[in-house]
Amino acid sequence: MDQYVITGGVPLVGETEISGMKNAALPILAASIMTDETVTLENLPDVDDVRVLIEALRSIGADIKYIDRHTVSVCGAGIGSCEIQYEYIKKIRASYYLLGALLGKYKNAAVPLPGGCNIGSRPIDLHLKGLNAIGGNVKILYGTIIGKSERLHGAHIFMDTVSVGATINIMMAASRAEGRTIIENAAKEPHVVDVANFLNSMGANIKGAGTDVIRIKGVKDFHGTSYMIVPDMIEAGTFMCAAAATRGDIMIKGVIPKHLEAITAKLREIGCEIEEFDDSIRVVAARRLSRTHIKTNPYPGFPTDMQPQIGVVLTLAQGTSVVTESIFENRFKYVDELTRMGASIKVEGNSAIIDGVDCLMGARVSSPDLRAGAALVVAALAAEGTSVIEDIKFIERGYEDFEQKLEALGADISRVSAEGKSGRLKVRTS
Ligand code: UD1
């Protein structure tokens, strides 16, 4: 498996362009088969998770053509099966969006239980509860989620926990049910809004996405559309943290600054200078940053997907910070790796107590999951000496051209094949 070799200690300076949001692209791709007419999707990120989902959709008969690297046309008219094979699904958690899409369109779906990042127990009870409330007749049989319904109908659904995936899945299926559905305590993430906007552009009638209450009036059919996916706030946030950790100066282009407010507020609080423009944001870290406390929360709170990256920034800040994870229980798997680079962190329950150190030192570390892997890259960029980051397949699930974008900002990063070269690599520590 390929690795990144990074020699750090260089402030990242320059401009970078953000790709389309992976977590919006996946449900939108899944939903694009809900019409027999052609759908054109623009600003699709070229990342592994998207490629896997495209293959899964092709495997049931969807006709998907790349118009250019970031634009596809999708036609769901030729779909001959509602049964997704496990080989696609084990790789990506977002495969569960095929459940809402197929059930909404065909009233029939068989989707193996999802894989994806191991960041916690990740149950799907809320998906099942919501889909059953609208008549989906969904159950788990032999590791597969099966839904078969004569008729989907509207329902009043109260979500016990705020769930992005369950909100989107229910929204997709309910938009093709008979009657009205209300989802209370809905997730408000920008990708929930993006999926609602996309479904509305296909003819759905969804109101209130981005608030706690989403109201859906079911429609009989959808039609073709052309849609551009929003920029990836987590990719943008990762570059913001890279600027902060390396004491750099990065202009991050093609973003929606509003989506980044929780990250911007925290970075300002610890001493970064941040300028917001219409569709870009500049992060400057001119001096050593200071401590703070952070707790992850559903949007508009601080995103759990940014917790490892900000954890790295705070590792290098002056004083003691506490980072509390309130969404997923296994999100501190980067801490042991970071400790090998010289960090001083103690995990107690769902909090990490971080004593800021003056510098990190290059080491050989391994990516535990997608965001933790990206955080270790940020750590390596800030560290003195050379680091080797193993298992970068996790990072490539969600970051397009990561090493090229970092290289353009002055990073000393290269990608090597573990089989071919790792034996000869020496980790430089001074
Ligand atoms: C999505 C994102 C992920 C992000 C997360 C939270 C995708 C592909 N993934 O994951 O990157 O970290 O939102 O912003 O978009 N829960 C239940 N029952 C359920 C569903 C969820 O108890 O049926 C719990 C989860 O264990 C977790 C919380 O709800 O504690 C939030 O999870 P959820 O928002 O559903 O995360 P995902 O949609 O899986």
Side-chain angles (χ1 to χ4, degrees):
M1 199 186 300
D2 287 359
Q3 307 168 328
Y4 289 142
V5 179
I6 298 172
T7 300
V10 183
L12 296 190
V13 176
E15 288 182 1
T16 196
E17 189 81 32
I18 295 307
S19 302
M21 194 196 288
K22 169 184 87 78
N23 286 350
L26 295 170
I28 288 174
L29 250 179
S32 67
I33 54 116
M34 292 180 76
T35 168
D36 282 347
E37 296 179 15
T38 298
V39 169
T40 305
L41 299 178
E42 294 171 54
N43 205 28
L44 206 62
D46 187 14
V47 294
D48 284 357
D49 274 17
V50 165
R51 280 183 229 117
V52 171
L53 188 61
I54 286 177
E55 284 316 309
L57 290 167
R58 281 179 173 152
S59 77
I60 54 168
D63 181 17
I64 305 183
K65 293 191 184 79
Y66 270 96
I67 295 165
D68 61 41
R69 189 180 176 203
H70 299 114
T71 310
V72 293
S73 72
V74 181
C75 182
I79 290 180
S81 160
C82 292
E83 201 172 321
I84 308 290
Q85 295 305 310
Y86 179 65
E87 58 173 299
Y88 305 109
I89 295 328
K90 67 180 180 195
K91 297 182 188 155
I92 51 165
R93 178 159 182 84
S95 55
Y96 55 42
Y97 289 131
L98 293 167
L99 191 64
L102 291 168
L103 201 60
K105 186 180 183 195
Y106 298 106
K107 317 290 176 262
N108 187 3
V111 179
L113 280 164
C117 272
N118 179 20
I119 54 176
S121 65
R122 309 192 83 171
I124 56 154
D125 56 308
L126 297 171
H127 300 243
L128 304 193
K129 188 177 141 187
L131 293 172
N132 280 331
I134 61 169
N137 198 17
V138 178
K139 43 183 161 297
I140 298 174
L141 284 177
Y142 307 105
T144 298
I145 316 163
I146 295 178
K148 214 172 173 73
S149 169
E150 293 294 312
R151 172 180 167 265
L152 295 180
H153 53 77
H156 196 138
I157 300 164
F158 188 90
M159 310 287 285
D160 305 328
T161 306
V162 176
S163 162
V164 172
T167 301
I168 291 178
N169 236 340
I170 298 163
M171 201 165 69
M172 288 200 275
S175 62
R176 292 290 288 275
E178 289 171 34
R180 292 169 193 269
T181 296
I182 298 175
I183 308 175
E184 303 232 32
N185 199 24
K188 296 180 280 200
E189 269 68 2
H191 30 309
V192 174
V193 178
D194 209 34
V195 178
N197 288 342
F198 169 69
L199 291 169
N200 283 341
S201 79
M202 284 205 295
N205 185 339
I206 302 171
K207 297 201 167 90
T211 74
D212 296 314
V213 184
I214 299 179
R215 292 168 200 280
I216 303 158
K217 194 171 160 206
V219 299
K220 269 210 159 58
D221 213 351
F222 284 166
H223 51 72
T225 186
S226 201
Y227 193 80
M228 182 179 276
I229 289 156
V230 289
D232 197 317
M233 57 185 261
I234 304 301
E235 186 196 11
T238 303
F239 280 98
M240 292 169 80
C241 286
T246 64
R247 295 201 205 171
D249 177 350
I250 308 183
M251 176 69 95
I252 302 161
K253 299 174 87 174
V255 299
I256 299 174
K258 172 103 191 112
H259 294 171
L260 302 168
E261 273 174 353
I263 306 161
T264 303
K266 276 294 163 193
L267 289 178
R268 274 195 180 130
E269 186 188 320
I270 63 174
C272 289
E273 289 154 42
I274 300 187
E275 278 181 274
E276 293 177 16
F277 304 92
D278 285 350
D279 62 356
S280 51
I281 194 159
R282 180 178 172 201
V283 181
V284 184
R287 57 197 158 82
R288 188 163 184 205
L289 302 173
S290 55
R291 57 173 285 285
T292 189
H293 295 336
I294 291 182
K295 184 174 181 189
T296 61
N297 266 311
Y299 189 85
F302 193 89
T304 174
D305 283 0
M306 282 303 303
Q307 186 261 101
Q309 301 89 315
I310 198 82
V312 168
V313 173
L314 294 175
T315 289
L316 289 161
Q318 195 155 28
T320 302
S321 303
V322 179
V323 174
T324 302
E325 172 58 53
S326 67
I327 316 276
F328 293 113
E329 68 269 25
N330 276 355
R331 275 227 124 139
F332 286 126
K333 287 195 289 182
Y334 64 99
V335 164
D336 286 347
E337 301 299 289
L338 209 52
T339 304
R340 303 178 65 231
M341 298 177 77
S344 173
I345 309 178
K346 203 163 59 175
V347 176
E348 284 182 5
N350 63 344
S351 292
I353 297 139
I354 304 174
D355 283 324
V357 293
D358 292 341
C359 70
L360 291 171
M361 293 161 287
R364 184 179 282 272
V365 292
S366 160
S367 307
D369 58 63
L370 166 59
R371 304 303 172 187
L376 290 172
V377 169
V378 171
L381 292 165
E384 298 294 324
T386 301
S387 298
V388 177
I389 317 272
E390 295 176 353
D391 292 338
I392 63 170
K393 68 166 191 213
F394 289 114
I395 303 172
E396 291 177 339
R397 286 188 38 213
Y399 288 86
E400 178 179 314
D401 292 343
F402 202 30
E403 73 267 30
Q404 290 89 335
K405 288 185 186 183
L406 290 168
E407 213 167 14
L409 294 168
D412 182 346
I413 177 170
S414 54
R415 181 202 172 91
V416 297
S417 143
E419 288 77 30
K421 295 187 186 165
S422 67
R424 296 202 299 273
L425 279 173
K426 281 204 178 120
V427 175
R428 205 166 63 218
T429 52
S430 60

